[in-house]
């Protein structure tokens, strides 16, 4: 079963992401409420997709992306950034750090589901 790690300091947003991705058959979900918790979970468990906020109180999303891309075991993990920061500098920084997709809030359920499907299918190929 593909496992998705959903990281956001807002429980409502984590629940919303999970609700949007739930139509994808067979996905399992793990939540993390901070960048530090995400790094701890990523260090201990395998995941197939990371959905990550940029703005968190301890370790930010960019630093989590840099951590993932710096680990041999995690280097191929697909990452979707979901953030309120819609500016081009944030987008460029996230993609430059190694994120695969960058989406701004509010997003549509179809948009995030479509991106997740595409990344999970690319990973399987």
């Amino acid at each position: 079963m593909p496992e998705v790690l959903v990281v956001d300091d807002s429980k409502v947003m984590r629940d919303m992401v999970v609700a949007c991705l739930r139509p994808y058959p067979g996905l399992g979900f793990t939540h993390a409420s901070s960048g530090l918790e995400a790094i701890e979970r990523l260090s201990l468990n395998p995941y197939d997709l990371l959905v990550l906020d940029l703005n968190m109180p301890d370790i930010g999303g960019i630093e989590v992306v840099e951590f993932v891309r710096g680990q041999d075991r995690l280097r191929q993990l697909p990452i979707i950034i979901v953030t309120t920061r819609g500016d081009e500098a944030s987008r460029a920084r996230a993609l430059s750090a190694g994120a695969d997709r960058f989406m701004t809030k509010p997003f549509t359920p179809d948009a995030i589901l479509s991106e997740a499907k595409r990344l999970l299918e690319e990973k399987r190929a």
Side-chain angles (χ1 to χ4, degrees):
M1 170 189 309
E3 189 71 22
V4 180
L5 178 59
V6 181
V7 185
D8 198 303
D9 57 331
S10 164
K11 182 180 181 326
V12 170
M13 188 53 64
R14 292 192 308 269
D15 290 345
M16 185 178 299
V17 168
V18 169
C20 292
L21 298 182
R22 199 158 301 281
Y24 191 98
L27 287 183
F29 298 96
T30 301
H31 295 230
S33 60
S34 71
L36 180 59
E37 185 181 357
I39 288 173
E40 289 171 352
R41 291 190 182 282
L42 288 161
S43 297
L44 298 172
N45 303 295
Y47 293 98
D48 299 287
L49 177 66
L50 174 60
V51 180
L52 179 66
D53 187 18
L54 285 183
N55 301 318
M56 289 183 281
D58 52 10
I59 297 174
I62 295 294
E63 289 76 16
V64 174
V65 172
E66 291 170 343
F67 170 80
V68 167
R69 295 304 180 231
Q71 306 295 311
D72 287 341
R73 183 180 65 83
L74 300 171
R75 194 160 285 138
Q76 301 303 316
L77 178 65
I79 302 172
I80 299 174
I81 298 291
V82 179
T83 182
T84 55
R85 293 187 198 170
D87 60 283
E88 189 52 40
S90 294
R91 173 185 298 276
R93 185 158 184 242
L95 295 175
S96 175
D100 295 286
R101 301 290 188 274
F102 186 95
M103 303 181 70
T104 54
K105 300 173 187 174
F107 52 84
T108 66
D110 287 344
I112 194 167
L113 179 60
S114 173
E115 293 296 342
K117 277 179 164 178
R118 193 170 301 129
L119 289 170
L120 287 166
E121 289 166 10
E122 285 175 11
K123 186 178 181 208
R124 272 194 234 159

